[in-house]
Every structure is written in structure tokens, then in C-alpha cells.
Amino acid sequence: MSMLTPPGMGGQYRITGDKYPRMRPRRRRARLTLSVVATVTALGLVGWGTLQLIDVFTGGGGTASAAGSAGDCVKQAAASPSPAAGTSAAALPKPAQITVNVYNATTRTGLAKDTADALKKRGFKIGDVGNAPERFDSKVKGTAVLLGPASALKTSLPVLATQLTAADQRTEAGRKGTAVDLIIGDAFKALTPQTTAARAITALSHPQPKAAPKKGC
């Protein structure tokens, strides 16, 4: 029997060797584990709270902001000048550079002369004045027919058209010179008011910018 064995305990509880039971280290290890878990949890809560404060002061996370900006992208209008009726502002002549032949295709006498005088007062040059050629005589039911060479389609004819309402503009193949014809029709009553015609010429020479869609984000 070992000297460490209490008397009367026999060999059942004999303690031999130099190793002893360890009970306390297990408790310390459990406490240490709990402390580590608690510390990690506290740090996580502090970090989460910090992120929430950042979200409050910055207006939300980066992902939400990016998604919102892409989803709320609004098209804006970008100004792009576009001459009216396909004309070129730089190529438009002034009334003083346009020679107009005035012909009367109606049965009303003196209409060609009166119209020619009115156009002359507005700055146009006047060429021939008289009755319309046979192919147009009593055959123009609208306001008027404006006839000229192919080169006048986007130059002289649009300028002359500002002086009348709903005039029919045409070109004549093979026609020489730069003069244009104003053939007065049955629906003609008078030239457009001079102020209205002047604004129309200004609009042709200085077209307003045309809005075109453009993404702003």
C-alpha cells in the first residue's frame, strides 16, 4: 500500500505514481471559451452598429445607390439644330435676291399686278406679270403654285412660300435661270400678313434647336 493511500481505503482508491486528478483546469478552459465567444459577439455588434450609423449619414449602401441610379436614369433633351422643312439656313437667299414671275390662273382681273406690287414692297424682285400659261390657266384650285428650277427647291421656293398659305411648291426639270413663278389659284385671297411672313423667314434662317433624347446617367 502506498503511503498516499488513506488507511482503510484498500486498493480500490490507491493513488500511485506522480500524476494527480485535474478538475479545475476544465472549468477555467470553459470560462475562457465563453469569454472569447462573448468578446467576438460584442465586437460584431459594435461593427454592425457602426455600419448602420454610416448608412444613416451617407444615405444608404453603395449597392442600393448604384441600383437606384441605374433604375432612375431619366432621358434628357439635348439641343440639336435642325433647319425647318429640310432647308439649309446658310443657303437661303434674301427676298431681294429672288426674282418672282407673277401669273394669274383665275378669272379675277388685276390679281397678278396687285400681288406683284405687294411682293415688291416686301423686298422681292419682280419679273414677268400677267396671265398664267395655258397648262395652268383655270386649273389651279388651291392657293397658288410655286414653280422653279431644281436648285430653288430648298432655297428660293421656301422663302417665297412664307408669303402665302398652303402654296404648292414644285420644280421643273431642265429649267434654266434662278427666277421662280408664283401662279395664283382660285383659293387665293391675299398674301399672309407681313409680320407673319417676316417671322416665318426668320424661322427658316435661324431654326430653333430640335430636342433629341439623351440619357443623363
Side-chain angles (χ1 to χ4, degrees):
M1 182 179 297
S2 170
M3 295 179 63
L4 297 177
T5 303
M9 297 187 66
Q12 185 177 359
Y13 300 97
R14 293 179 60 186
I15 298 176
T16 60
D18 56 357
K19 296 183 180 179
Y20 303 90
R22 290 183 173 181
M23 301 300 293
R24 293 184 180 273
R26 293 183 179 178
R27 293 181 180 178
R28 291 177 181 175
R29 189 173 301 170
R31 290 177 182 177
L32 180 60
T33 302
L34 291 175
S35 298
V36 171
V37 172
T39 302
V40 172
T41 302
L43 290 176
L45 291 175
V46 171
W48 180 82
T50 302
L51 290 176
Q52 293 301 311
L53 288 176
I54 292 174
D55 286 344
V56 170
F57 287 105
T58 59
T63 302
S65 176
S69 62
D72 299 335
C73 184
V74 180
K75 290 184 177 180
Q76 299 176 347
S80 60
S82 177
T87 60
S88 174
L92 288 176
K94 295 180 180 179
Q97 298 173 306
I98 302 174
T99 299
V100 184
N101 302 317
V102 183
Y103 299 116
N104 183 7
T106 73
T107 58
R108 290 177 283 173
T109 60
L111 194 56
K113 184 180 183 302
D114 292 343
T115 304
D117 290 343
L119 287 174
K120 186 175 181 179
K121 291 180 180 179
R122 298 185 181 191
F124 290 88
K125 289 183 178 182
I126 303 301
D128 297 335
V129 178
N131 293 326
E134 185 178 354
R135 62 192 175 113
F136 290 108
D137 191 22
S138 301
K139 298 176 183 177
V140 180
K141 303 304 179 182
T143 300
V145 172
L146 306 184
L147 185 64
S151 60
L153 181 60
K154 295 184 179 181
T155 55
S156 301
L157 290 181
V159 175
L160 181 57
T162 62
Q163 310 301 310
L164 300 100
T165 302
D168 184 15
Q169 301 180 46
R170 303 178 187 177
T171 59
E172 197 170 22
R175 178 165 175 164
K176 304 296 183 181
T178 59
V180 294
D181 299 340
L182 166 55
I183 305 171
I184 303 173
D186 294 337
F188 177 83
K189 294 181 179 180
L191 297 176
T192 58
Q194 191 167 355
T195 54
T196 303
R199 285 196 298 267
I201 291 178
T202 301
L204 284 175
S205 302
H206 303 87
Q208 294 296 321
K210 183 179 179 180
K214 180 181 180 181
K215 288 187 176 182
C217 50

